[in-house]
Amino acid sequence: MSDPSQDSPAAGDSAPGADFDTMTRDIADVPAVEVITTVAVHLMSAAAVNLGLAEGGETHKDLDEARKLIHALAGLLDAGTTEISSFHAAPLRDGLKSLQLAFREASTVPDEPGQGPGEKYTGAVFGR
C-alpha cells in the first residue's frame, strides 16, 4: 500500500511547490484598488450573464441571482468608492446603473422605485 503523503496532489489542490507563504506574499503585493475593481468587474460580469445579456442570452437568465449580484456590487461600490478614486469608480458606477436598468427592463413585475437591486445604496434608478 502506498503512503498517502507521497501520492500526487488531487485535482484542485495547489500545484507542487506552491506554498501558502508564497500565495500570501503574492496577494499582499496587489494594490487594494486593483482587488476592489477586479471584484467589481467579476460581479458585473456575473450579473450580466444572469440578466441574459451574454452570448446565449436566455439560457443563463436568472433574475434572482442577478438581483443578489447587483445588490452586492452596489454595496461594494458604496463602501469602496472613496478608496478607489473617481477615476476608477465612475465607470463602475455607470456599469452598475446599466445593470440596474437592464434588471428593471427584464423584470415582468418591476420593483417600486428605490426597491430594485442595489437601490438601497444608489437611490432609485430611472431611464437611460
Side-chain angles (χ1 to χ4, degrees), residues 12-128:
D13 286 353
S14 298
D19 60 43
F20 187 72
D21 290 337
T22 301
M23 290 185 292
T24 303
R25 187 172 47 253
D26 290 346
I27 195 69
D29 293 337
V30 179
V33 67
E34 189 174 330
V35 173
I36 294 167
T37 56
T38 299
V39 169
V41 169
H42 283 291
L43 288 168
M44 291 174 79
S45 298
V49 168
N50 282 289
L51 285 170
L53 301 175
E55 193 172 314
E58 296 294 320
T59 307
H60 303 289
K61 193 170 185 178
D62 184 338
L63 294 182
D64 185 51
E65 289 294 302
R67 176 184 294 277
K68 293 171 188 172
L69 293 161
I70 294 168
H71 190 76
L73 173 63
L76 174 65
L77 293 181
D78 183 55
T81 294
T82 58
E83 307 301 324
I84 63 173
S85 80
S86 294
F87 176 78
H88 292 93
L92 294 172
R93 283 194 301 264
D94 290 345
L96 170 60
K97 182 177 179 182
S98 294
L99 290 169
Q100 288 171 311
L101 290 170
F103 183 91
R104 188 168 293 282
E105 290 174 11
S107 297
T108 55
V109 180
D111 295 311
E112 292 294 320
Q115 300 301 310
E119 291 182 358
K120 169 183 175 180
Y121 301 106
T122 64
V125 176
F126 301 101
R128 290 217 181 264

